[in-house]
Amino acid sequence: MTEKTSILNLPARKFFVVQLTNCFQVDKDEEEWIYQGTLDLPLRFNQVWIQGFVVLVSADGNDVLVDDGTGVAHATGVVKLVKNFTIIKGMYVMVAGQLKTTGKSSTQTFPSYPTIRILKFADKSEFRSSETLWMLEVMDLQRATSTSLR
């Protein structure tokens, strides 16, 4: 990433939470990651985009757990970014940001989740079809990305 390129200008790749556990970091300075998974070719990215239901909000409101039906992710940095509404359990939300950890650690004895530092957050609760469309959108985009990289 060049000096003039901000992390905010990079596109966020759409993922299911379970896929984030299969990513690995290739460049810590630029926070670049690769997802291999079921794709024929590896997918490189700097930012992720997930959607799901808020299942837990920390007491200080800075951290939330989001469940997309495939897994749970930890989103952090909420207080700095979200100012115009209160996040509550049960909301359907979109989280975009930098993947910080995949949640895999052989030394932890308690559940660990992929962690995302939030750069964008939106309440999608009013859009009733968001959840169904999200699942189809992620599958379609990843299939299209996989075939276009060949």
Side-chain angles (χ1 to χ4, degrees):
M1 189 168 30
T2 66
E3 287 181 44
K4 293 184 180 187
T5 304
S6 165
I7 190 74
L8 297 173
N9 294 331
L10 298 172
R13 295 282 185 170
K14 297 176 180 183
F15 284 100
F16 295 124
V17 172
V18 69
Q19 293 173 316
L20 298 178
T21 63
N22 294 317
C23 295
F24 61 93
Q25 195 167 21
V26 292
D27 188 338
K28 289 188 181 217
D29 292 335
E30 294 189 19
E31 300 195 32
E32 187 172 24
W33 293 79
I34 288 183
Y35 170 69
Q36 179 65 51
T38 58
L39 301 176
D40 294 337
L41 298 171
L43 180 62
R44 295 176 88 91
F45 64 93
N46 294 82
Q47 292 186 55
V48 298
W49 174 341
I50 64 165
Q51 289 185 193
F53 290 96
V54 173
V55 293
L56 184 70
V57 181
S58 66
D60 65 2
N62 194 51
D63 299 274
V64 297
L65 293 183
V66 177
D67 186 339
D68 74 345
T70 71
V72 176
H74 169 218
T76 188
V78 177
V79 173
K80 288 181 180 179
L81 190 66
V82 180
K83 307 246 188 250
N84 55 346
F85 59 89
T86 302
I87 300 169
I88 57 172
K89 185 177 174 181
M91 289 173 78
Y92 188 78
V93 298
M94 179 277 292
V95 173
Q98 294 175 293
L99 184 63
K100 297 311 241 177
T101 68
T102 63
K104 285 186 177 178
S105 174
S106 59
T107 60
Q108 293 180 332
T109 56
F110 57 90
S112 181
Y113 307 110
T115 300
I116 301 168
R117 185 175 64 85
I118 296 174
L119 297 173
K120 186 173 182 182
F121 190 94
D123 178 6
K124 308 284 255 171
S125 300
E126 292 182 25
F127 307 102
R128 297 187 189 272
S129 59
S130 289
E131 182 182 8
T132 303
L133 292 174
W134 174 251
M135 295 291 185
L136 297 171
E137 192 174 334
V138 174
M139 289 186 295
D140 188 51
L141 283 170
Q142 289 183 358
R143 183 179 48 81
T145 301
S146 175
T147 56
S148 70
L149 292 174
R150 289 183 191 171

